Amino acid sequence: MRLTVKLADYCYGLSARTITVIGLVCSALMGLIDFSLGTEFSFSVFYLVPIAFAAWFAGRDAGAFTAIPSALIWYAANKTADVIKSQPLEA
């Protein structure tokens, strides 16, 4: 069997709670990456990956439950990166 089929079968075997936690952890990691890149790069489309993962393997409710914290993480990462990057360096 192909690796993708094996991975999909494994994910379908996980509980909805586990899939949701994986989606939330991936969203948090996306937030860290987005924060470290700053506002110079648009990283917002990549927040859809954990949302789609949760919705695909655990259902619509898990996707919605992952989408709300992902949106908050995205907002916080962009606002804090904007504030930190816009501060002048002090010599």
Coordinates of all heavy atoms in Angstrom, one line a residue:
M1 N 0.8 -1.2 0.0 CA 0.0 0.0 0.0 C 0.9 1.2 0.0 O 2.0 1.2 0.5 CB -0.9 0.0 1.2 CG -2.2 -0.6 1.0 SD -3.5 0.1 2.1 CE -3.2 -0.8 3.6
R2 N 0.3 2.3 -0.5 CA 1.0 3.6 -0.5 C 1.1 4.2 0.9 O 0.2 3.9 1.7 CB 0.4 4.5 -1.4 CG 0.3 4.0 -2.9 CD -0.4 4.9 -3.7 NE 0.6 5.7 -4.4 CZ 0.3 6.6 -5.3 NH1 -1.0 6.9 -5.5 NH2 1.2 7.3 -5.9
L3 N 2.1 5.0 1.1 CA 2.3 5.6 2.4 C 1.1 6.5 2.8 O 0.6 6.5 3.9 CB 3.6 6.4 2.4 CG 3.9 7.2 3.7 CD1 4.1 6.2 4.8 CD2 5.1 8.0 3.5
T4 N 0.5 7.2 1.8 CA -0.6 8.1 2.1 C -1.8 7.4 2.5 O -2.6 7.8 3.3 CB -0.9 9.0 0.9 OG1 -1.1 8.2 -0.3 CG2 0.3 10.0 0.6
V5 N -2.0 6.2 1.9 CA -3.2 5.4 2.3 C -3.0 4.9 3.7 O -4.0 4.9 4.5 CB -3.4 4.3 1.2 CG1 -4.5 3.3 1.7 CG2 -3.7 4.8 -0.1
K6 N -1.8 4.4 4.0 CA -1.6 4.0 5.4 C -1.7 5.1 6.4 O -2.3 4.8 7.5 CB -0.1 3.4 5.5 CG 0.0 2.1 4.7 CD 1.5 1.6 4.9 CE 1.7 0.3 4.1 NZ 3.1 -0.2 4.3
L7 N -1.3 6.3 6.1 CA -1.4 7.4 7.0 C -2.9 7.8 7.1 O -3.3 8.1 8.3 CB -0.6 8.6 6.5 CG -0.5 9.8 7.3 CD1 0.1 9.5 8.7 CD2 0.2 10.9 6.7
A8 N -3.6 7.8 6.1 CA -5.1 8.1 6.1 C -5.8 7.0 7.0 O -6.6 7.4 7.8 CB -5.7 8.2 4.7
D9 N -5.5 5.8 6.8 CA -6.1 4.7 7.6 C -5.8 4.9 9.0 O -6.6 4.7 9.9 CB -5.7 3.3 7.1 CG -6.3 3.0 5.8 OD1 -7.3 3.6 5.4 OD2 -5.7 2.1 5.1
Y10 N -4.5 5.2 9.3 CA -4.2 5.5 10.7 C -4.9 6.6 11.3 O -5.4 6.6 12.5 CB -2.6 5.7 10.8 CG -2.2 6.0 12.2 CD1 -2.0 5.0 13.2 CD2 -1.9 7.3 12.6 CE1 -1.6 5.3 14.4 CE2 -1.4 7.6 13.9 CZ -1.3 6.6 14.8 OH -0.9 6.9 16.1
C11 N -5.1 7.7 10.6 CA -5.8 8.9 11.1 C -7.2 8.6 11.3 O -7.9 9.1 12.2 CB -5.6 10.1 10.1 SG -3.9 10.7 10.2
Y12 N -7.8 7.8 10.4 CA -9.3 7.5 10.6 C -9.5 6.6 11.8 O -10.5 6.6 12.4 CB -9.8 6.7 9.4 CG -10.2 7.6 8.2 CD1 -9.7 7.5 7.0 CD2 -11.2 8.6 8.4 CE1 -10.0 8.3 6.0 CE2 -11.6 9.4 7.4 CZ -11.0 9.3 6.2 OH -11.4 10.1 5.2
G13 N -8.4 5.9 12.3 CA -8.5 5.1 13.5 C -8.4 5.9 14.8 O -8.7 5.3 15.8
L14 N -7.9 7.1 14.7 CA -7.8 7.9 15.9 C -9.1 8.5 16.3 O -10.0 8.7 15.5 CB -6.8 9.1 15.6 CG -5.4 8.7 15.3 CD1 -4.6 9.9 14.9 CD2 -4.7 8.0 16.5
S15 N -9.2 8.8 17.6 CA -10.5 9.4 18.1 C -10.6 10.9 17.7 O -9.6 11.5 17.3 CB -10.5 9.3 19.6 OG -9.6 10.2 20.2
A16 N -11.8 11.4 17.7 CA -12.0 12.8 17.3 C -11.3 13.7 18.2 O -10.8 14.8 17.8 CB -13.5 13.1 17.3
R17 N -11.2 13.4 19.5 CA -10.5 14.2 20.5 C -9.0 14.3 20.1 O -8.4 15.4 20.2 CB -10.7 13.7 21.9 CG -10.0 14.5 22.9 CD -10.3 14.0 24.3 NE -11.7 14.2 24.6 CZ -12.3 13.8 25.7 NH1 -11.6 13.0 26.5 NH2 -13.5 14.0 25.9
T18 N -8.4 13.2 19.8 CA -7.0 13.1 19.4 C -6.7 13.9 18.1 O -5.8 14.7 18.1 CB -6.5 11.7 19.2 OG1 -6.8 10.9 20.4 CG2 -5.1 11.6 18.9
I19 N -7.6 13.8 17.2 CA -7.5 14.6 15.9 C -7.6 16.1 16.2 O -6.8 16.9 15.7 CB -8.5 14.2 14.9 CG1 -8.3 12.7 14.5 CG2 -8.5 15.1 13.7 CD1 -7.1 12.5 13.6
T20 N -8.5 16.5 17.1 CA -8.7 17.9 17.4 C -7.5 18.4 18.2 O -7.0 19.5 17.9 CB -9.9 18.0 18.3 OG1 -11.1 17.5 17.6 CG2 -10.2 19.5 18.6
V21 N -6.9 17.6 19.1 CA -5.7 18.1 19.8 C -4.5 18.2 18.8 O -3.7 19.2 18.9 CB -5.4 17.1 20.9 CG1 -4.0 17.3 21.5 CG2 -6.4 17.2 22.0
I22 N -4.4 17.3 17.9 CA -3.3 17.4 16.9 C -3.5 18.7 16.0 O -2.6 19.4 15.7 CB -3.3 16.1 16.0 CG1 -2.8 14.9 16.7 CG2 -2.4 16.3 14.7 CD1 -3.0 13.6 16.0
G23 N -4.7 19.0 15.7 CA -5.0 20.2 14.9 C -4.7 21.4 15.7 O -4.1 22.4 15.2
L24 N -5.0 21.4 17.0 CA -4.7 22.6 17.8 C -3.2 22.8 18.0 O -2.7 23.9 18.0 CB -5.4 22.5 19.2 CG -6.9 22.6 19.1 CD1 -7.5 22.3 20.5 CD2 -7.4 24.0 18.6
V25 N -2.5 21.7 18.2 CA -1.0 21.8 18.4 C -0.4 22.2 17.1 O 0.5 23.1 17.1 CB -0.5 20.4 18.8 CG1 1.0 20.4 18.7 CG2 -0.9 20.0 20.2
C26 N -0.9 21.8 15.9 CA -0.4 22.2 14.7 C -0.7 23.7 14.4 O 0.2 24.4 13.9 CB -0.9 21.4 13.5 SG -0.3 19.7 13.4
S27 N -1.8 24.2 14.9 CA -2.2 25.6 14.8 C -1.2 26.4 15.6 O -0.8 27.5 15.2 CB -3.6 25.8 15.2 OG -4.5 25.2 14.3
A28 N -0.9 25.9 16.8 CA 0.0 26.6 17.7 C 1.4 26.7 17.1 O 2.1 27.7 17.1 CB 0.1 26.0 19.1
L29 N 1.8 25.6 16.4 CA 3.1 25.6 15.8 C 3.1 26.6 14.6 O 4.1 27.3 14.3 CB 3.5 24.2 15.3 CG 3.8 23.2 16.4 CD1 4.0 21.8 15.8 CD2 5.1 23.7 17.2
M30 N 2.0 26.6 13.9 CA 1.9 27.6 12.8 C 2.0 29.0 13.3 O 2.5 29.9 12.7 CB 0.5 27.4 12.1 CG 0.4 26.2 11.3 SD 1.4 26.1 9.9 CE 1.1 24.4 9.4
G31 N 1.4 29.3 14.5 CA 1.5 30.6 15.1 C 2.9 31.0 15.4 O 3.3 32.1 15.3
L32 N 3.7 30.0 16.0 CA 5.1 30.3 16.3 C 5.9 30.6 15.0 O 6.7 31.5 15.0 CB 5.7 29.1 17.0 CG 5.2 28.9 18.4 CD1 5.8 27.6 19.0 CD2 5.7 30.1 19.3
I33 N 5.6 29.9 14.0 CA 6.3 30.1 12.7 C 5.9 31.5 12.1 O 6.7 32.2 11.7 CB 6.0 29.0 11.7 CG1 6.7 27.7 12.2 CG2 6.5 29.3 10.3 CD1 6.2 26.4 11.4
D34 N 4.6 31.7 12.2 CA 4.1 33.0 11.7 C 4.7 34.2 12.5 O 5.0 35.2 11.9 CB 2.6 33.0 11.7 CG 1.9 34.2 11.0 OD1 2.6 34.8 10.2 OD2 0.7 34.4 11.2
F35 N 4.7 34.0 13.8 CA 5.3 35.1 14.6 C 6.8 35.3 14.3 O 7.3 36.4 14.2 CB 5.2 34.7 16.1 CG 5.9 35.7 17.0 CD1 5.3 36.9 17.3 CD2 7.0 35.3 17.6 CE1 6.0 37.8 18.1 CE2 7.7 36.2 18.5 CZ 7.2 37.4 18.7
S36 N 7.5 34.2 14.1 CA 9.0 34.3 13.8 C 9.2 34.9 12.4 O 10.3 35.6 12.2 CB 9.7 33.0 13.9 OG 9.2 32.1 12.9
L37 N 8.3 34.7 11.5 CA 8.5 35.3 10.1 C 8.1 36.8 10.1 O 8.6 37.5 9.2 CB 7.6 34.6 9.1 CG 8.1 33.2 8.8 CD1 7.1 32.6 7.8 CD2 9.5 33.2 8.1
G38 N 7.3 37.2 11.1 CA 7.0 38.6 11.1 C 5.9 39.0 10.1 O 5.2 38.1 9.6
T39 N 5.7 40.2 9.9 CA 4.7 40.7 8.9 C 5.2 40.8 7.5 O 4.4 41.2 6.6 CB 4.1 42.0 9.4 OG1 5.2 43.0 9.5 CG2 3.4 41.9 10.8
E40 N 6.4 40.4 7.2 CA 6.9 40.5 5.9 C 6.4 39.5 5.0 O 6.3 39.6 3.8 CB 8.5 40.4 5.9 CG 9.2 41.6 6.5 CD 9.3 41.6 8.0 OE1 9.1 40.5 8.6 OE2 9.4 42.6 8.6
F41 N 6.0 38.3 5.5 CA 5.5 37.2 4.8 C 4.0 36.9 5.2 O 3.7 36.9 6.4 CB 6.3 35.9 5.0 CG 7.7 36.1 4.5 CD1 8.7 36.3 5.5 CD2 8.1 36.1 3.2 CE1 10.0 36.5 5.1 CE2 9.4 36.2 2.8 CZ 10.4 36.4 3.8
S42 N 3.2 36.6 4.2 CA 1.8 36.3 4.5 C 1.8 34.7 4.7 O 2.0 34.0 3.8 CB 0.9 36.7 3.4 OG -0.4 36.2 3.6
F43 N 1.4 34.3 5.9 CA 1.5 32.9 6.3 C 0.1 32.4 6.6 O -0.1 31.3 7.0 CB 2.4 32.8 7.6 CG 2.8 31.4 7.8 CD1 3.8 30.8 7.0 CD2 2.3 30.7 8.9 CE1 4.2 29.5 7.3 CE2 2.8 29.4 9.1 CZ 3.7 28.8 8.3
S44 N -0.9 33.3 6.4 CA -2.3 32.9 6.9 C -2.9 31.7 6.2 O -3.7 31.0 6.8 CB -3.2 34.2 6.7 OG -3.2 34.5 5.4
V45 N -2.6 31.5 4.9 CA -3.2 30.3 4.2 C -2.8 29.0 4.9 O -3.6 28.0 4.8 CB -2.9 30.4 2.7 CG1 -1.4 30.0 2.5 CG2 -3.8 29.5 2.0
F46 N -1.7 28.9 5.5 CA -1.2 27.7 6.1 C -2.0 27.3 7.4 O -1.9 26.2 7.8 CB 0.3 27.7 6.4 CG 1.1 27.8 5.1 CD1 1.7 29.0 4.7 CD2 1.2 26.7 4.3 CE1 2.4 29.1 3.6 CE2 2.0 26.7 3.1 CZ 2.6 27.9 2.8
Y47 N -2.7 28.2 7.9 CA -3.6 27.9 9.1 C -4.7 27.0 8.7 O -5.4 26.4 9.5 CB -4.1 29.2 9.7 CG -3.1 29.9 10.5 CD1 -2.4 31.0 10.0 CD2 -2.9 29.6 11.9 CE1 -1.5 31.7 10.8 CE2 -2.0 30.3 12.6 CZ -1.3 31.3 12.1 OH -0.3 32.0 12.8
L48 N -5.0 26.9 7.4 CA -6.1 26.1 6.9 C -5.7 24.6 6.9 O -6.6 23.8 7.0 CB -6.5 26.5 5.5 CG -7.1 27.8 5.3 CD1 -7.4 28.2 3.9 CD2 -8.4 27.9 6.1
V49 N -4.5 24.3 7.0 CA -4.0 22.9 6.9 C -4.5 22.1 8.2 O -5.1 21.1 8.1 CB -2.5 22.8 6.7 CG1 -2.0 21.3 6.9 CG2 -2.1 23.3 5.4
P50 N -4.2 22.6 9.4 CA -4.8 21.9 10.6 C -6.3 21.9 10.7 O -6.9 20.9 11.2 CB -4.1 22.6 11.8 CG -3.4 23.7 11.3 CD -3.4 23.7 9.8
I51 N -6.9 23.0 10.2 CA -8.4 23.0 10.2 C -8.9 22.0 9.3 O -9.9 21.2 9.6 CB -8.9 24.4 9.8 CG1 -8.4 25.5 10.9 CG2 -10.4 24.5 9.7 CD1 -8.6 26.9 10.4
A52 N -8.4 21.9 8.1 CA -8.8 20.9 7.1 C -8.6 19.5 7.6 O -9.4 18.6 7.4 CB -8.2 21.1 5.8
F53 N -7.4 19.3 8.2 CA -7.1 18.0 8.8 C -8.1 17.5 9.8 O -8.6 16.4 9.8 CB -5.7 18.0 9.4 CG -5.3 16.8 10.2 CD1 -4.9 15.7 9.5 CD2 -5.3 16.8 11.5 CE1 -4.5 14.5 10.2 CE2 -5.0 15.6 12.2 CZ -4.6 14.5 11.5
A54 N -8.4 18.5 10.7 CA -9.4 18.1 11.8 C -10.8 17.9 11.2 O -11.5 17.0 11.6 CB -9.5 19.2 12.8
A55 N -11.2 18.7 10.3 CA -12.5 18.6 9.7 C -12.6 17.3 8.8 O -13.6 16.6 8.8 CB -12.8 19.8 8.8
W56 N -11.6 17.0 8.1 CA -11.6 15.8 7.3 C -11.7 14.5 8.1 O -12.5 13.6 7.8 CB -10.3 15.8 6.4 CG -10.4 14.7 5.4 CD1 -10.0 13.4 5.5 CD2 -10.8 14.8 4.0 NE1 -10.1 12.7 4.4 CE2 -10.6 13.6 3.4 CE3 -11.3 15.9 3.3 CZ2 -10.9 13.3 2.1 CZ3 -11.6 15.7 1.9 CH2 -11.4 14.4 1.4
F57 N -10.8 14.4 9.1 CA -10.7 13.1 9.8 C -11.6 13.0 11.1 O -11.9 11.9 11.6 CB -9.3 12.9 10.2 CG -8.4 12.5 9.1 CD1 -7.4 13.4 8.7 CD2 -8.5 11.3 8.4 CE1 -6.6 13.1 7.6 CE2 -7.7 11.0 7.3 CZ -6.8 11.9 6.9
A58 N -12.1 14.2 11.6 CA -12.9 14.1 12.8 C -14.3 14.7 12.6 O -15.1 14.6 13.5 CB -12.2 14.8 14.0
G59 N -14.5 15.4 11.5 CA -15.9 16.0 11.3 C -15.9 17.5 11.4 O -15.0 18.2 11.7
R60 N -17.1 18.0 11.0 CA -17.3 19.4 11.0 C -17.1 20.1 12.3 O -16.6 21.2 12.4 CB -18.7 19.7 10.4 CG -19.0 21.2 10.2 CD -20.3 21.5 9.7 NE -21.1 20.3 9.4 CZ -22.4 20.4 9.1 NH1 -23.0 21.5 9.1 NH2 -23.1 19.3 8.9
D61 N -17.6 19.5 13.4 CA -17.5 20.1 14.7 C -16.1 20.3 15.1 O -15.7 21.3 15.7 CB -18.3 19.3 15.7 CG -19.8 19.3 15.5 OD1 -20.2 20.3 14.8 OD2 -20.5 18.4 16.0
A62 N -15.2 19.2 14.9 CA -13.8 19.3 15.2 C -13.1 20.4 14.4 O -12.3 21.1 14.9 CB -13.1 18.0 15.0
G63 N -13.5 20.5 13.1 CA -12.9 21.5 12.3 C -13.3 22.9 12.7 O -12.5 23.8 12.8
A64 N -14.5 23.1 13.1 CA -15.0 24.4 13.7 C -14.3 24.7 15.0 O -13.9 25.9 15.3 CB -16.5 24.5 13.9
F65 N -14.1 23.7 15.8 CA -13.5 23.9 17.1 C -12.0 24.2 16.9 O -11.4 24.9 17.8 CB -13.6 22.6 18.0 CG -13.1 22.8 19.4 CD1 -13.8 23.5 20.3 CD2 -11.9 22.2 19.7 CE1 -13.4 23.6 21.6 CE2 -11.4 22.3 21.0 CZ -12.2 23.1 22.0
T66 N -11.4 23.7 15.9 CA -10.0 24.0 15.6 C -9.9 25.4 14.9 O -8.9 26.1 15.1 CB -9.4 22.9 14.7 OG1 -9.6 21.7 15.3 CG2 -7.9 23.1 14.4
A67 N -10.9 25.8 14.1 CA -10.8 27.0 13.4 C -10.8 28.3 14.3 O -10.1 29.3 14.0 CB -12.0 27.1 12.4
I68 N -11.6 28.2 15.4 CA -11.7 29.4 16.2 C -10.4 29.7 17.0 O -9.9 30.8 16.9 CB -12.9 29.2 17.2 CG1 -14.2 29.2 16.4 CG2 -12.9 30.3 18.3 CD1 -15.4 28.8 17.2
P69 N -9.7 28.7 17.6 CA -8.4 29.0 18.2 C -7.4 29.4 17.1 O -6.5 30.2 17.4 CB -8.0 27.8 18.9 CG -9.3 27.1 19.2 CD -10.2 27.4 18.0
S70 N -7.5 28.8 15.9 CA -6.5 29.1 14.9 C -6.7 30.5 14.5 O -5.6 31.2 14.2 CB -6.8 28.2 13.7 OG -6.5 26.9 14.0
A71 N -7.9 31.0 14.4 CA -8.1 32.4 14.0 C -7.5 33.4 15.1 O -6.9 34.4 14.8 CB -9.6 32.7 13.8
L72 N -7.7 33.0 16.4 CA -7.2 33.8 17.5 C -5.7 33.7 17.5 O -5.0 34.8 17.8 CB -7.8 33.3 18.8 CG -9.3 33.5 19.0 CD1 -9.7 32.8 20.3 CD2 -9.6 34.9 19.0
I73 N -5.1 32.6 17.2 CA -3.6 32.5 17.2 C -3.1 33.3 16.0 O -2.1 34.0 16.2 CB -3.2 31.0 17.0 CG1 -3.5 30.2 18.3 CG2 -1.7 30.8 16.7 CD1 -3.4 28.7 18.2
W74 N -3.7 33.2 14.9 CA -3.3 34.0 13.7 C -3.3 35.5 14.1 O -2.4 36.2 13.8 CB -4.2 33.7 12.5 CG -4.0 34.7 11.4 CD1 -3.0 34.7 10.5 CD2 -4.8 35.8 11.1 NE1 -3.1 35.7 9.6 CE2 -4.3 36.4 9.9 CE3 -6.0 36.3 11.6 CZ2 -4.8 37.5 9.4 CZ3 -6.6 37.4 11.0 CH2 -6.0 38.0 9.9
Y75 N -4.4 36.0 14.7 CA -4.5 37.4 15.0 C -3.5 37.8 16.0 O -2.8 38.8 15.9 CB -5.9 37.6 15.6 CG -6.2 39.1 16.0 CD1 -6.4 40.0 15.0 CD2 -6.1 39.4 17.3 CE1 -6.6 41.3 15.4 CE2 -6.3 40.8 17.7 CZ -6.6 41.7 16.7 OH -6.7 43.0 17.1
A76 N -3.3 37.0 17.0 CA -2.2 37.3 18.1 C -0.8 37.3 17.5 O 0.0 38.2 17.8 CB -2.3 36.3 19.2
A77 N -0.5 36.3 16.6 CA 0.8 36.3 16.0 C 1.1 37.5 15.2 O 2.2 38.1 15.2 CB 0.9 35.0 15.2
N78 N 0.1 37.9 14.4 CA 0.3 39.1 13.5 C 0.4 40.4 14.3 O 1.2 41.2 14.0 CB -0.8 39.1 12.5 CG -0.6 38.2 11.3 OD1 0.6 37.8 11.1 ND2 -1.6 37.8 10.7
K79 N -0.5 40.5 15.3 CA -0.5 41.7 16.1 C 0.8 41.9 16.9 O 1.4 42.9 17.0 CB -1.7 41.8 17.0 CG -2.9 42.2 16.3 CD -2.8 43.5 15.6 CE -3.9 43.8 14.7 NZ -3.8 45.0 13.9
T80 N 1.3 40.8 17.6 CA 2.5 40.9 18.4 C 3.7 41.0 17.5 O 4.6 41.7 17.9 CB 2.6 39.7 19.3 OG1 2.5 38.5 18.6 CG2 1.5 39.7 20.4
A81 N 3.7 40.3 16.4 CA 4.9 40.5 15.5 C 5.0 41.9 14.9 O 6.1 42.4 14.8 CB 4.8 39.5 14.3
D82 N 3.8 42.5 14.7 CA 3.8 43.8 14.2 C 4.3 44.8 15.2 O 5.1 45.7 14.9 CB 2.4 44.2 13.8 CG 2.3 45.5 13.1 OD1 3.3 45.9 12.3 OD2 1.3 46.2 13.2
V83 N 3.9 44.6 16.5 CA 4.4 45.5 17.5 C 5.9 45.3 17.8 O 6.6 46.3 17.9 CB 3.6 45.3 18.8 CG1 4.2 46.0 20.0 CG2 2.1 45.7 18.7
I84 N 6.3 44.1 17.8 CA 7.7 43.9 18.2 C 8.6 44.3 17.0 O 9.7 44.9 17.2 CB 7.9 42.4 18.5 CG1 7.3 42.0 19.8 CG2 9.4 42.0 18.5 CD1 7.3 40.6 20.2
K85 N 8.2 44.0 15.8 CA 9.1 44.4 14.6 C 9.1 45.9 14.4 O 10.0 46.4 13.8 CB 8.6 43.7 13.4 CG 8.6 42.2 13.4 CD 10.0 41.7 13.4 CE 9.9 40.1 13.5 NZ 11.1 39.5 13.5
S86 N 8.0 46.6 14.8 CA 8.0 48.0 14.5 C 8.7 48.9 15.5 O 8.9 50.1 15.4 CB 6.5 48.5 14.4 OG 5.9 48.4 15.7
Q87 N 9.1 48.3 16.6 CA 9.9 49.0 17.6 C 11.3 49.2 17.1 O 12.0 48.3 16.7 CB 9.9 48.2 19.0 CG 8.6 48.0 19.6 CD 8.0 49.3 20.1 OE1 8.6 50.2 20.5 NE2 6.7 49.3 20.0
P88 N 11.8 50.5 17.2 CA 13.2 50.8 16.8 C 14.2 50.1 17.7 O 13.9 50.0 18.9 CB 13.2 52.3 16.8 CG 12.2 52.7 17.8 CD 11.1 51.6 17.7
L89 N 15.3 49.8 17.2 CA 16.4 49.2 18.0 C 17.1 50.3 18.8 O 17.3 51.4 18.2 CB 17.4 48.5 17.1 CG 17.0 47.3 16.4 CD1 18.1 46.8 15.4 CD2 16.6 46.2 17.4
E90 N 17.3 50.1 20.0 CA 18.0 51.0 20.8 C 19.5 50.7 20.9 O 19.9 49.6 21.1 CB 17.4 51.0 22.3 CG 15.9 51.5 22.3 CD 15.3 51.4 23.6 OE1 16.1 51.5 24.6 OE2 14.1 51.4 23.8
A91 N 20.3 51.7 20.7 CA 21.7 51.5 20.7 C 22.3 51.8 22.1 O 21.8 52.5 22.9 CB 22.4 52.4 19.7

